Amino acid sequence: MTVISQRELAALNKLVQGIDGAAFLVISKVNEVRGRGFSMGKRHTAAVSDQAARG
């Protein structure tokens, strides 16, 4: 399971489909996320966007 922003969804979907065309994503709106790491800056955003751009 992962939590991403709405603006990251298209890039993630493109990346996943590029790796496995038969894969599926379960997408749900979330009101709140608690836990370690969710208040820190997003370090993965550039990597996801870079992978989607190449795929």
Side-chain angles (χ1 to χ4, degrees):
M1 181 182 301
T2 188
V3 178
I4 61 170
S5 70
Q6 181 70 30
R7 67 178 179 271
E8 295 172 303
L9 181 56
L12 179 62
N13 187 47
K14 187 174 180 179
L15 177 64
V16 170
Q17 292 300 311
I19 294 169
D20 182 355
F24 65 93
L25 302 174
V26 176
I27 301 167
S28 179
K29 290 190 179 236
V30 176
N31 293 324
E32 187 174 348
V33 177
R34 292 187 181 193
R36 183 175 178 189
F38 286 99
S39 61
M40 299 170 66
K42 294 181 182 179
R43 293 179 293 185
H44 67 283
T45 304
V48 169
S49 298
D50 290 347
Q51 285 288 337
R54 285 184 254 159

